[in-house]
Amino acid sequence: MENDVTANIGVIGGSGLYELFAPGTADEIDVPTPFGATSSPITVGTMAGKRVAFLTRHGREHSVAPHRINHRANLWALRSLGVRAIVSSSAVGGLHPDYAPGTFVVTDQLIDRTWGRADTFFEDAVQHLSFADPFDPVLRRAAVEAVAGLDVPFRPTGTCVVIQGPRFSTRAESVWLREAGGHTINMTMTPEVPLAAELGIGTVNLSFVTDADAGLAPTEDEAAAEAPVSHAMVMERLARANEVIVRAIGSIVAAVPDDYTPRELVPAAASASVMAVGA
């Protein structure tokens, strides 16, 4: 597949982020992929002086459940447009008292608790992804510096536990996952991040803590605990924070080095073979 619209940077919008560019300022394209349809059409426009391809993870009407997202199609489509760096946004719950609602987090580690998802492009040929540090160090440094300058509650690191969804956690699960080392909780970072790495795309994640998960996780003081998370609560808080989230994404995009080169976590020839399937 060939397309004359290109971008070096991709932005994947999480819950609540369904548009990135002002109306009439971006090209909208449907990219066919060997893995089926993407979650949404891709819009390509200019952000912080750079060409950016934007895709919303759950679809524009938030109609794609976490366990039904076609991550392989999303990542393949972005790579086919020339994307080598992805800035992803995520809504997360807080599992730790230092990660309270309203906090921005540049995630650095993952604990994968999902199951049954298409989590590799290499189903017939073995490729072992080197994944000790899931998020690209160069992009993370750029993001930490960018977000630190925004005067928002901020954590430069955080371990995200990725659960299957679409249900939220029980109280016992929240406490268990915190004790396992989790700082935040989410339903979509895997397999999105490892799939990007298999295609030679570096990723950095900006999370916004919307809630205290099951209500007990951020504090041992039950009287001070928030109400358990609900979808309505998450969406309402994301709507209020939307302008700041977009501004933070723009700051990270601006900070991506012009000469950025992603790590090679599987052989480049293997990544190329995946992209050649739909050529």
Side-chain angles (χ1 to χ4, degrees):
M1 194 277 302
E2 294 184 0
N3 198 302
D4 59 2
V5 179
T6 61
N8 292 327
I9 299 174
V11 172
I12 297 180
S15 296
L17 183 57
Y18 308 121
E19 295 182 0
L20 192 65
F21 307 108
T25 65
D27 298 310
E28 180 173 300
I29 53 177
D30 285 300
V31 181
T33 88
F35 304 97
T38 57
S39 294
S40 71
I42 296 173
T43 52
V44 180
T46 300
M47 186 178 211
K50 301 180 181 182
R51 293 290 284 172
V52 172
F54 173 70
L55 180 150
T56 181
R57 189 182 290 121
H58 291 282
R60 290 175 176 169
E61 304 298 326
H62 200 90
S63 58
V64 185
H67 63 298
R68 300 300 298 272
I69 295 169
N70 192 344
H71 293 284
R72 291 195 296 185
N74 290 347
L75 274 303
W76 193 97
L78 289 172
R79 183 67 188 91
S80 75
L81 297 177
V83 167
R84 301 306 303 276
I86 286 176
V87 180
S88 69
S89 74
S90 299
V92 299
L95 292 172
H96 188 279
D98 291 340
Y99 293 74
T103 303
F104 285 87
V105 184
V106 179
T107 312
D108 68 325
Q109 282 293 324
L110 299 173
I111 298 174
D112 186 5
R113 296 288 301 166
T114 65
W115 52 269
R117 301 184 181 190
D119 59 1
T120 182
F121 287 104
F122 301 107
E123 295 182 328
D124 300 316
V126 177
Q127 291 293 338
H128 295 290
L129 178 68
S130 180
F131 204 56
D133 297 299
F135 299 96
D136 187 276
V138 172
L139 297 179
R140 284 200 70 257
R141 283 194 295 272
V144 167
E145 292 178 4
V147 180
L150 293 178
D151 192 28
V152 295
F154 168 58
R155 294 290 170 184
T157 61
T159 295
C160 184
V161 181
V162 189
I163 61 172
Q164 180 70 2
R167 74 166 176 85
F168 295 114
S169 301
T170 66
R171 296 183 191 276
E173 287 169 338
S174 285
V175 173
W176 172 51
L177 294 172
R178 178 181 61 187
E179 292 176 349
H183 299 111
T184 62
I185 188 167
N186 169 264
M187 299 177 185
T188 57
M189 282 192 220
T190 59
E192 182 176 280
V193 178
L195 287 173
E198 286 187 345
L199 293 183
I201 305 172
T203 58
V204 62
N205 173 260
L206 178 70
S207 289
F208 179 72
V209 183
T210 58
D211 59 86
D213 200 40
L216 294 181
T219 177
E220 296 297 339
D221 180 1
E222 292 190 23
E226 282 205 336
V229 59
S230 67
H231 180 68
M233 173 196 292
V234 169
M235 300 309 291
E236 189 273 330
R237 291 180 178 178
L238 285 170
R240 285 189 299 180
N242 183 264
E243 184 274 332
V244 181
I245 293 171
V246 172
R247 181 157 50 92
I249 290 171
S251 295
I252 297 173
V253 168
V256 175
D258 291 336
D259 60 352
Y260 170 73
T261 302
R263 300 170 295 171
E264 189 175 303
L265 302 182
V266 298
S271 301
S273 71
V274 176
M275 297 308 303
V277 172

